[in-house]
Structures are given as structure tokens and as C-alpha cells.
Amino acid sequence: MDKNLGQAPVQELALVEKQAFEMPVYTTQNGSTIKQLKVGWEAYGTLNADKSNVILITHFFSGTSHAAGKYTADDAAPGYWDAIIGPNKAIDTNKYYVISVDTLVNANVFDKNVITTGPATINPDTGKAYGLSFPVVTIADFVEVQKALLDSLGIAKLHAVVGASMGSFQAIEWATRYPDKVERLIPVIGTAYIDAWAAVKLERWAYPIKTDPNWHNGDYYEHGQPKQGLVTALAYIIQDAVFPTGFNMRYPAPATDAAPHNNILASFSAWDQLMQHAAMRAEVQDANHILYLIRASQLYRAGMGDNWQQAIKNISAKTLFLPATGDQLLYPAMAKASVDAMNAGENHAGAKQADYAEIPGIWGHLDGVVGIAAVADKIEALLN
Amino acid sequence: MDKNLGQAPVQELALVEKQAFEMPVYTTQNGSTIKQLKVGWEAYGTLNADKSNVILITHFFSGTSHAAGKYTADDAAPGYWDAIIGPNKAIDTNKYYVISVDTLVNANVFDKNVITTGPATINPDTGKAYGLSFPVVTIADFVEVQKALLDSLGIAKLHAVVGASMGSFQAIEWATRYPDKVERLIPVIGTAYIDAWAAVKLERWAYPIKTDPNWHNGDYYEHGQPKQGLVTALAYIIQDAVFPTGFNMRYPAPATDAAPHNNILASFSAWDQLMQHAAMRAEVQDANHILYLIRASQLYRAGMGDNWQQAIKNISAKTLFLPATGDQLLYPAMAKASVDAMNAGENHAGAKQADYAEIPGIWGHLDGVVGIAAVADKIEALLN
């Protein structure tokens, strides 16, 4: 990271403030109605006079709109992409107004810095949590809510949309639905479609929740969460996002455990520690929200119709796919197939629009978050 | 596969017969006693006079000793490695006496052609199924039972041990424990150790069984199996053994399903079909046996002690590791690390013993079974 030598020094962002955006009523893609919809958002940098310097950051499955900076000076860590978002960083807040929005059905609904609407929200019509009466929402709904927020701010064009993983789905959907509004597109550890393999893999995250006797078909808000199912789901999510090399650095080898040789019910330290790690995350998460995020992810394909390969040709944004080499969840071949579909046959000016580069690292999918600095120069180059 | 041009033509094996081997008492590695232990075995080819032409085939997790040939002319399919085992094939039954043994706690305990001892077996002391009172058994136990059978046949040396996946563990353990008895070793889609990542991944197969209310802590033999848990576990095993390319050829894309857009509980056809496929397998399998196979696999490392890298140096067999390029379960890096440990530092004659080659294909781990013909020449070369 010598890129700033001889340039303005990298500085820290000013303290970040969470803001709320509310819609009196929102109609979902499947025709349902959500009243008093609320989502949180935050922004870094300054909106210019003609509102042409906006970069939208769309967040991943387990993430929130907290992409950079700190809420208070005492925060243990800044937002997840602080390595690339800030003054004189790759996504330079001295130039750009960077905005990020909590999705609908955000996983971290009980985090005090998250504002979202989903199954854990009180339905104003009943005074009780929605539970499974909350409608299925899709990546297109996430995008429409973001668009309503941007419209309310008078922002008509995006210099770029950049998002990791489930954030890549939102970014691609923005560029597919609103090709004239999105000038640049960077899907990180992303894909334009979920295939059968990935949909089943995601369903396996849902299984421990749905089979937890405390789930009560999603109607648990008066009993307490299906804790074991939720924690197990989060453990699976953690593992599936990490390449074995990184995972094995973090969790002890089976040879360290004696009990499993003698007791079929004894567990391995690696499992126990993973579950503890997951349990900490579960403190602020909601089991039904996880189910809805799984569903939104499973259903994703560019344009949300029958033919994502056709829909993706709609995109006119200059595009750079950045998969992680060791990704075993949204594996690089998916990004490659997405790029190929964008560049195939006759396209807008017949020109190649989409580029592809891999993020190196030992963390697999997670390298799209913790290893993002490795491609900071590529991101900066596409933006400028 | 032109290798037989100008050579003797490939022929079919004679019909295969399952035989039973019984031990009045067997003491496990953890010091428990199993009375009237029985396992099935089968053999192809003819044992020569000095019993020096024996090749042992050790089977994979979901497999049985049925490695080649047919039991009756009407069998729908031959044994799983029939492509490489038979007259004039890579493992040539005109030259070799090829023998294969059902493991303890074999998954397919209710298959009429499988003979095994495990939690579903009646404990002669109680007249009831063992359930979880069956001792934890390890890969070393599988090997010791095989050795007892070979001893009973007067076979003191193995020309080679060849096994896929969990079969590779047995093959490696043979060569580690009995270096003077094993002349050649071919671990296919294999590894000399299970790491934290793989142990946790395997634990995820156990979870649906252990959380099925019909599991009753393993004591279900009078109530009926924990069917849902078993089928789900088998579905995960099927998926984890298959690379996405192959999986997506077999199961429909999410875009073919309308219901999941409107109903959070609606499932995808890919999931439903995978579960149907798993349910067919479950017909002859036992949930507790799956748990015991998971445990045996989780505990595997060469020599079964604290330091597999040291233990594996014991091996004097000429060795060829054959991982599958797309394997996401026992990924090629594990085979590479195993080979490196064998070849590291001072070894027997200081010579490089272990070679490495990858099996190409679109099926991932499963290529070690369905794609084995691609490396038939390499196997043949090592054996001859």
C-alpha cells in the first residue's frame, strides 16, 4: 500500500452518524404492502452542488450500512471497508459522497446502530411482530428502497455502486434496472446469479433455524429466539465464508482433542469455539431475518426474471468484477460467467464493458471484506 | 482409454460373491470390546501360490466392499470402481487378487449385500441394538479388522492398498502402521489428516440427525429411524461431494421456481430433488452408523497420534496421491500437504517416495469414483 506516497496523506473520517429513512408505505416486488418502512443509512464525504459525486455502497449478508469510520472515538473498530473508504483512500471521501443503507430484513436488527424493517418489526396493523407474515422481499426490493432514499435526497445518478457478496447482487441489480443512473459498477466477491448449488447451500443455513423447536414457525417473539438454531446457522455462515487455510489458523486441529475418541457425543474444540464465535454474533441478530436474507439471496439473478444473461446486457456501467481466488461460496467461476454474459455477443456499443480481477488471500470469500486493500488500486482506477 | 489397443481385451469379471468374516471378540483402539464382530468381504481374481499378488481396496464413506463386478447378471450396475478393476483393466484381476472389506459401522447396514457391525447391530449381551453404547471406532480399527481377515487367509503382504476418500485414510493407515506389509499405496481423493475445517464440515452432517426428535439420543431402534435427519445428512453428503458444475447439471436452477418469491416456506426444486435422491439412499442406511462414520473420519490422521507428519514418515510404500482438481471436501491442498510431509527431510533412503497427480473432471470429490478412469494409466503404472 505505497500508493499514497507523494500524495495527500490518508486521514481518518469524521465521526459517522446513523440516519433514518422512512416510507409511509412500500409495495414489494411480489405486490405486498409494508407500512412505515424504516431503514438506516450513513454517509461519508460531501455531496457536491450538482449531486454528481455519489458512490453507493451496498452491504453483504451479515453486514450493515456501517462501511467506514466510527460512531464514537471509542469504537473498537471502524466500518468494514474502512481500508478503502475515507479521505485520500481508494474510495476518496474528499472527492465522493459515499452513502450506504441498511437493507430490509437486516440480520443485525438488535444492533443499536441498525435500522431495518422485517419479521422482527412490529406490524402497525396488529401491534405484534410480523414473523412470517412479513412478505418475501428480494434484492430488487432492497434496491427500490435505496432508490427511494436517493430520490428523497435529490440524487439522480450514481458515480458508482460498489458492494460485496449480497451487496454485489444489489449493485448489479441497480445497474440492470437503472442503467442510465449507474455509471460504474464493482461487484466484489459477487455474481449475477445464484445457481442450484448455491441455493441449496444457502438452504442449509436455514435448516437449523427451521428445525429448532423454539422457532415455532417464526412466531417466537413472545417466547424468545430459537437460539440454538440461530447460532448454528451463523456458525455455518462463518465457515462457508472462510477458506480452510484461514479457518485452520483460527480453530484448533482435531488432534488436540482427546474426548471424541471415547465418547461419540463429545465435540471438537474447533466446533465449540466456532459456536461461541457465532453466539456472540447472534446477540444482535434475529433468526427470521436470517431466513429472509437467505431467501433474498437464493432468488437473486440479474433482472430477477427468467433470463439473467439477457437482463445483464442492459447494464451500461463500466464494470469490474472482483471475486476472491479462494472463494468457495460465490466461487470465481460465477463471477467469470457473469462477466462473460455481460461481454457476450452484441452489447451496447459492441464494446467489452466488464473486467475481471481476483482478490488474493487465505480467507476465501471473506477476503472480499478483510482482504479488500489488496485491490484498492484497481477500485481507485475504475472510479477515477 | 486406448490403453488396451493391441493388448488383451477387457473382459467382465465373473459374478461376485459376498463372504462373511467373523471375530469372536475384537478389542478397539480405545479399549472397548466388541463380541461376535462380523464384516463382509469380496474378492476378484485368483490368489497366487505365495500369496504375493494381493491388492486391498478400502472403501469410501458411503460405500461398501462392492468395488467391482456384479452379484447377479441382472444387477443394474457393477461395483463402484469397475472401470479400473477387472480382467486386463488398470487393476488387473488376471494378475492380482483384489480384495475389499465392508468397514465397521458401514453406512449401508440394511443393504442385503453388506455385512457390518455397529450401533444397529444386536448386542449379544443385551439382545438389543447397541445404539450409542457401541464404542467409538476409528480408521485404525477398520484396518485392524481387515488385517485380522487377511491373517486368517494367510496373506502377510499387500502388493498395494488403494482407496478413495475415507478409503484413502484406511490405505494410509495400513502403510503407516504396517510399513513392511504394504508395498504400494494409492490414496485417491485422500489426505493423511483431517483439519479443523474438515472436522467441522463433517460435524454439520451429524447435526440434522442429532437434532431430529426421532433420534432419541441414538436409541430409536424400537421406534423407527430419525428419517428426516438421516435424509438431510445424506443430502449434505451428496452436495459436499460434488463440484458446482456437476451439481448444476443435475438439479434445476432457482429461476425455474415461482413459489419461493411469494412464500417464505416454499422450497426450491433443487432442494426437493436432492432430498428425494437422498431419501432413496436412506432406505438402506442407518442414522447412528452415519454418526460413527463421521466420527471415524473426523479423528483421522496418519498414525492416529499427535503428529501425523512424523507418523507418515514411517511409510515405505511407493505412493501416489490422486486428489480431484475440483474437490471442495478433501481439497487438493490436503493431498499436497500429505505428500510434502512424506517427502520432507530425512526419509528412509532419503528418496522421494510420494507422487502427486490430479484427477480432472466436473464432479469434484466424486470424480475419485465416477471419474477414476481418467487416471487408470497412472494407477496401472504404479502397480506394475
Side-chain angles (χ1 to χ4, degrees):
Chain A
M1 295 296 294
D2 296 324
K3 74 179 190 60
N4 291 295
L5 283 181
Q7 296 178 19
V10 168
Q11 296 153 346
E12 293 311 315
L13 276 172
L15 291 182
V16 172
E17 207 185 341
K18 181 74 64 171
Q19 305 188 62
F21 171 67
E22 191 162 346
M23 298 174 78
V25 63
Y26 170 75
T27 302
T28 64
Q29 299 297 300
N30 65 11
S32 304
T33 298
I34 303 171
K35 291 182 191 163
Q36 299 172 22
L37 182 153
K38 266 191 216 170
V39 290
W41 62 283
E42 51 192 73
Y44 329 108
T46 308
L47 187 60
N48 66 7
D50 64 355
K51 302 184 175 179
S52 65
N53 70 332
V54 181
I55 296 180
L56 176 68
I57 307 292
T58 46
H59 72 71
F60 51 97
F61 190 101
S62 307
T64 73
S65 60
H66 194 38
K70 292 184 171 189
Y71 297 120
T72 72
D74 298 339
D75 287 2
Y80 64 91
W81 264 357
D82 197 77
I84 54 165
I85 301 172
N88 300 320
K89 295 183 185 177
I91 300 178
D92 188 349
T93 51
N94 289 337
K95 287 189 201 167
Y96 301 114
Y97 181 67
V98 179
I99 184 167
S100 185
V101 189
D102 293 327
T103 64
L104 291 173
V105 302
N106 187 287
N108 308 281
V109 56
F110 305 122
D111 180 329
K112 67 178 165 42
N113 290 308
V114 169
I115 304 168
T116 188
T117 305
T121 304
I122 301 298
N123 178 347
D125 288 344
T126 66
K128 290 183 164 191
Y130 282 100
L132 300 199
S133 75
F134 198 79
V136 171
V137 286
T138 66
I139 297 297
D141 289 306
F142 298 180
V143 166
E144 289 303 325
V145 171
Q146 290 157 5
K147 180 167 175 293
L149 165 61
L150 295 177
D151 287 347
S152 78
L153 298 172
I155 295 166
K157 248 187 204 290
L158 292 169
H159 182 79
V161 189
V162 187
S165 193
M166 190 185 79
S168 82
F169 309 162
Q170 298 163 61
I172 293 166
E173 195 57 18
W174 257 104
T176 304
R177 290 171 89 85
Y178 299 108
D180 298 337
K181 290 180 182 296
V182 179
E183 293 169 339
R184 289 164 197 81
L185 167 64
I186 308 183
V188 176
I189 48 170
T191 169
Y193 66 100
I194 290 297
D195 57 18
W197 183 87
V200 168
K201 193 104 170 145
L202 288 164
E203 193 63 37
R204 291 166 65 169
W205 297 353
Y207 189 86
I209 292 173
K210 290 185 181 172
T211 53
D212 186 326
N214 293 319
W215 181 55
H216 297 295
N217 234 31
D219 188 17
Y220 54 74
Y221 293 98
E222 286 166 12
H223 310 79
Q225 289 231 54
K227 192 76 185 290
Q228 197 208 345
L230 173 60
V231 169
T232 307
L234 300 185
Y236 294 178
I237 293 170
I238 292 170
Q239 181 174 37
D240 287 343
V242 172
F243 191 74
T245 312
F247 192 89
N248 291 327
M249 286 170 56
R250 217 155 155 182
Y251 298 104
T256 59
D257 293 304
H261 289 260
N262 297 303
N263 176 0
I264 188 74
L265 296 177
S267 64
F268 289 89
S269 301
W271 174 266
D272 295 339
Q273 291 180 24
L274 175 65
M275 289 290 275
Q276 283 161 20
H277 183 178
M280 292 190 312
R281 287 201 191 187
E283 297 288 330
V284 296
Q285 300 205 355
D286 177 78
N288 283 338
H289 279 230
I290 297 294
L291 297 182
Y292 277 74
L293 283 173
I294 289 169
R295 177 51 52 90
S297 300
Q298 288 173 316
L299 288 172
Y300 188 62
R301 58 257 185 188
M304 296 300 303
D306 290 342
N307 189 337
W308 67 267
Q309 293 97 333
Q310 192 57 41
I312 204 176
K313 286 185 192 295
N314 233 20
I315 294 178
S316 56
K318 204 160 149 30
T319 299
L320 173 62
F321 274 82
L322 292 172
T325 304
D327 196 335
Q328 297 190 315
L329 182 58
L330 303 180
Y331 47 105
M334 297 174 99
K336 222 168 246 161
S338 304
V339 166
D340 288 347
M342 276 185 74
N343 292 336
E346 294 197 35
N347 215 312
H348 295 260
K352 182 183 169 210
Q353 280 174 279
D355 273 320
Y356 174 101
E358 291 186 9
I359 308 172
I362 59 165
W363 294 103
H365 192 65
L366 194 57
D367 276 317
V369 181
V370 301
I372 192 68
V375 289
D377 291 353
K378 292 191 172 78
I379 292 171
E380 192 176 6
L382 191 97
L383 295 181
N384 297 334
Chain B
M1 293 299 294
D2 296 322
K3 75 181 189 63
N4 290 295
L5 283 181
Q7 297 175 16
V10 168
Q11 296 153 347
E12 293 311 314
L13 277 171
L15 291 182
V16 172
E17 206 185 341
K18 181 73 65 171
Q19 305 188 61
F21 172 66
E22 189 162 347
M23 298 173 79
V25 64
Y26 171 74
T27 303
T28 64
Q29 299 297 300
N30 65 12
S32 304
T33 298
I34 303 170
K35 291 182 191 164
Q36 299 174 23
L37 181 153
K38 266 191 213 171
V39 290
W41 62 284
E42 51 191 75
Y44 330 107
T46 309
L47 187 59
N48 65 7
D50 63 357
K51 301 183 176 179
S52 65
N53 70 331
V54 180
I55 295 180
L56 175 67
I57 306 292
T58 46
H59 72 70
F60 51 97
F61 190 103
S62 307
T64 73
S65 61
H66 194 39
K70 292 185 171 188
Y71 297 120
T72 72
D74 297 338
D75 287 0
Y80 64 91
W81 264 356
D82 197 79
I84 54 166
I85 302 172
N88 301 320
K89 296 184 184 176
I91 301 178
D92 186 350
T93 52
N94 288 337
K95 287 188 201 168
Y96 300 113
Y97 181 65
V98 179
I99 183 167
S100 185
V101 188
D102 294 326
T103 64
L104 292 174
V105 302
N106 186 286
N108 307 282
V109 56
F110 305 122
D111 179 328
K112 68 179 166 38
N113 289 309
V114 169
I115 304 168
T116 188
T117 306
T121 304
I122 300 299
N123 178 347
D125 287 344
T126 66
K128 290 183 165 189
Y130 281 100
L132 301 199
S133 75
F134 198 79
V136 170
V137 286
T138 67
I139 297 298
D141 289 308
F142 297 0
V143 165
E144 289 303 325
V145 171
Q146 290 157 5
K147 180 167 175 293
L149 164 62
L150 295 177
D151 286 348
S152 79
L153 299 172
I155 295 166
K157 250 188 203 290
L158 293 169
H159 182 79
V161 189
V162 188
S165 193
M166 190 186 78
S168 81
F169 309 162
Q170 299 163 63
I172 294 167
E173 195 57 19
W174 258 103
T176 304
R177 289 171 90 85
Y178 299 109
D180 298 337
K181 291 180 181 296
V182 178
E183 294 168 339
R184 289 164 197 81
L185 166 64
I186 308 183
V188 176
I189 48 172
T191 169
Y193 66 100
I194 289 297
D195 58 17
W197 183 86
V200 168
K201 193 106 171 144
L202 289 164
E203 193 62 39
R204 291 166 65 168
W205 297 353
Y207 190 87
I209 292 173
K210 289 185 181 173
T211 54
D212 186 325
N214 293 320
W215 181 55
H216 298 294
N217 234 30
D219 188 18
Y220 53 76
Y221 294 98
E222 286 168 9
H223 310 81
Q225 291 231 53
K227 194 75 184 288
Q228 197 209 344
L230 173 60
V231 170
T232 307
L234 300 185
Y236 294 177
I237 293 170
I238 294 170
Q239 180 175 36
D240 287 343
V242 172
F243 191 75
T245 312
F247 192 90
N248 291 327
M249 285 169 57
R250 216 155 155 181
Y251 299 105
T256 58
D257 293 304
H261 289 259
N262 298 303
N263 175 1
I264 188 73
L265 296 176
S267 64
F268 289 90
S269 301
W271 174 266
D272 295 341
Q273 290 180 25
L274 174 65
M275 290 290 275
Q276 284 162 19
H277 183 177
M280 292 192 311
R281 286 200 191 186
E283 297 287 330
V284 296
Q285 300 206 356
D286 176 76
N288 283 338
H289 280 229
I290 297 294
L291 296 183
Y292 278 74
L293 283 173
I294 289 170
R295 176 52 52 90
S297 300
Q298 287 174 317
L299 287 171
Y300 188 61
R301 58 258 185 186
M304 295 301 302
D306 290 341
N307 189 337
W308 68 265
Q309 292 96 335
Q310 193 55 42
I312 205 175
K313 287 183 191 296
N314 232 23
I315 295 178
S316 57
K318 204 160 151 23
T319 300
L320 173 62
F321 274 82
L322 292 172
T325 303
D327 196 334
Q328 297 190 314
L329 183 56
L330 303 180
Y331 47 105
M334 297 175 100
K336 223 169 246 162
S338 305
V339 166
D340 289 347
M342 278 186 73
N343 292 338
E346 295 196 33
N347 215 314
H348 296 262
K352 181 183 170 210
Q353 280 173 278
D355 273 321
Y356 174 101
E358 292 187 8
I359 309 171
I362 59 163
W363 294 102
H365 192 67
L366 193 59
D367 276 317
V369 181
V370 301
I372 193 67
V375 288
D377 291 353
K378 292 190 173 76
I379 292 171
E380 191 176 9
L382 190 97
L383 295 179
N384 297 333

